[in-house]
């Protein structure tokens, strides 16, 4: 089976590697154009492009796929490359571009998407973050037959995965990426044998995982402690939590439930683990912080040079993100 692959970040690169290890022929890879990154803002290839080039696979990086859109020339070039690839199926994982109908119709077996949620829950751009933020007990990966809707296609293969109490988006991402790589190999093997099931998604239980906005990093101390703690884990490694203390903006990366109560944002205790801050209900011990220009560090380490004392108060109004 000839497989065209479309994806961009590390989540997708793991799936590409799984397909290569399984021996599938991949004549072409589509990925996002190189983007500026790092302190020098130099152009950097996506994780998928790096893996594809290492394997000697041709790479196309169209800025758009609409044949009548702003990047029509790119779309036409991509169409020519896809037609020349003569693929049986396209596998899509966190590609970053909406596939127009002409792409969906091109491969004889259509396009299969690796989606990191239990569809129809958490359709959209940020399913891993939103599952943790919402306090879901489990998530998983759905291999979906793509259609013109936003993650609305029929479900082919689905497997559940428990969300651990200490999971961050980073840790859960890695387990889901590995699961996605395994499931897409299984799905393609089933398709090759003519036995890939397709179950329509139920109309009930649809939720949308909207893209993470950096402004969401502002901590609202009036929220319950449990909600804030989940958001911190959901926003690790991006964008983290942001709070202002004595005019200084701090990043808050990790926190844990603590005993205590008080006015939201007030530091009600300080111990070897870090400062304890009152929330709308309950309290949190902030265990990992970052000062402007500094690195993430245990709160106890940071406080040696920059003490935080009982009675101080984090700003309750939204700090700058």
């Amino acid at each position: 089976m000839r497989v065209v692959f479309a994806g961009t970040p590390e989540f997708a690169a793991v799936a590409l590697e799984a397909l290569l290890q399984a021996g599938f022929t991949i004549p072409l890879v589509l990925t996002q154009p190189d983007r500026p990154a790092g302190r020098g803002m130099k152009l950097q290839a996506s994780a998928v492009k790096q893996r594809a080039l290492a394997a000697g696979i041709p790479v196309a990086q169209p800025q758009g796929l609409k044949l009548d859109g702003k990047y029509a020339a790119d779309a036409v070039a991509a169409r020519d490359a896809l037609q020349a690839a003569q693929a049986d199926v396209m596998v899509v994982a966190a590609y970053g571009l909406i596939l127009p109908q002409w792409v969906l119709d091109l491969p004889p077996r259509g396009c299969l998407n690796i989606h990191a949620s239990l569809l129809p829950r958490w359709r959209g751009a940020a399913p891993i973050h939103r599952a943790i933020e919402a306090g879901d007990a489990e998530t998983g990966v759905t291999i979906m037959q793509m259609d013109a809707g936003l993650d609305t296609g029929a479900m082919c293969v689905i497997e559940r995965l428990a969300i651990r109490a200490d999971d961050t988006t980073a840790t859960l991402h890695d387990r889901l990426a590995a699961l996605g790589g395994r499931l897409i190999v299984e799905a393609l093997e089933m398709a090759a044998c003519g036995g890939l099931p397709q179950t329509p998604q139920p109309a009930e239980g649809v939720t949308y995982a909207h893209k993470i906005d950096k402004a969401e990093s502002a901590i609202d101390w009036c929220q319950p402690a449990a909600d804030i703690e989940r958001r911190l884990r959901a926003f690790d490694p991006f964008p983290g939590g942001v709070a202002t203390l004595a005019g200084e903006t701090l990043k808050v990366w990790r926190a844990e439930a603590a005993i205590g109560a008080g006015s939201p944002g007030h530091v009600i205790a300080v111990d070897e683990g870090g400062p304890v801050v009152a929330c709308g209900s309950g309290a949190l011990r902030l265990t990992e912080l970052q000062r402007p220009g500094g690195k993430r560090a245990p709160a106890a380490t940071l406080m040696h040079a920059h003490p935080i004392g009982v009675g101080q108060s984090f700003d309750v109004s939204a700090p700058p993100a």
Side-chain angles (χ1 to χ4, degrees):
M1 185 178 290
R2 292 171 65 83
V3 181
V4 164
F5 187 87
T8 299
E10 182 61 29
F11 180 88
V14 172
L16 175 59
E17 178 65 27
L19 294 174
L20 291 170
Q21 291 296 323
F24 287 98
T25 299
I26 302 178
L28 178 67
V29 161
L30 271 63
T31 190
Q32 285 279 309
D34 296 359
R35 307 290 190 198
R39 289 190 175 184
M41 295 302 286
K42 295 181 179 179
L43 288 178
Q44 182 171 318
S46 71
V48 163
K49 180 180 179 179
Q50 294 178 46
R51 182 63 192 91
L53 293 180
I57 303 172
V59 174
Q61 297 177 270
Q63 296 188 73
L65 291 170
K66 292 184 178 180
L67 294 173
D68 58 353
K70 178 180 178 181
Y71 302 109
D74 275 17
V76 170
R79 182 188 61 186
D80 293 345
L82 285 168
Q83 289 174 338
Q86 297 183 319
D88 300 293
V89 65
M90 176 184 282
V91 170
V92 182
Y95 177 33
L97 286 181
I98 295 175
L99 301 188
Q101 194 64 46
W102 73 262
V103 178
L104 298 174
D105 294 339
L106 192 60
R109 296 180 183 268
C111 301
L112 295 177
N113 178 250
I114 307 171
H115 189 75
S117 83
L118 302 173
L119 291 172
R121 185 162 178 79
W122 302 128
R123 295 173 179 172
I128 303 176
H129 306 73
R130 299 305 183 189
I132 294 175
E133 181 186 17
D136 291 1
E138 63 178 3
T139 184
V141 168
T142 304
I143 305 299
M144 173 188 67
Q145 186 78 47
M146 296 180 70
D147 60 17
L150 176 62
D151 298 329
T152 55
M155 301 179 294
C156 303
V157 181
I158 189 166
E159 187 166 320
R160 299 174 181 273
L161 185 71
I163 298 178
R164 300 167 182 165
D166 61 349
D167 260 328
T168 64
T169 287
T171 60
L172 185 56
H173 165 280
D174 290 352
R175 300 206 309 282
L176 287 169
L179 177 58
R182 175 169 63 80
L183 290 187
I184 192 58
V185 169
E186 293 178 7
L188 290 177
E189 290 173 344
M190 293 168 66
C193 297
L196 185 62
Q198 294 193 21
T199 304
Q201 293 186 37
E204 301 78 25
V206 174
T207 57
Y208 288 91
H210 297 288
K211 183 178 179 180
I212 302 299
D213 190 319
K214 189 176 179 181
E216 295 182 76
S217 63
I219 297 173
D220 180 359
W221 298 105
C222 293
Q223 290 187 337
D227 291 0
I228 297 173
E229 188 273 337
R230 287 198 307 270
R231 285 174 67 88
L232 292 176
R233 290 189 288 111
F235 294 170
D236 183 355
F238 175 85
V242 177
T244 301
L245 179 70
E248 182 179 52
T249 299
L250 298 175
K251 282 267 192 176
V252 182
W253 289 107
R254 289 183 183 272
E256 60 187 23
I259 297 174
S263 299
H266 277 62
V267 179
I268 57 176
V270 176
D271 57 31
E272 66 277 2
V276 177
V277 182
C279 304
S281 62
L284 287 176
R285 178 178 294 104
L286 311 185
T287 59
E288 187 175 0
L289 302 171
Q290 182 178 0
R291 297 186 67 246
K295 297 181 179 180
R296 294 171 59 156
T301 300
L302 184 144
M303 289 193 303
H304 285 313
H306 305 277
I308 297 175
V310 174
Q312 288 188 274
S313 181
F314 286 90
D315 289 357
V316 176
S317 60

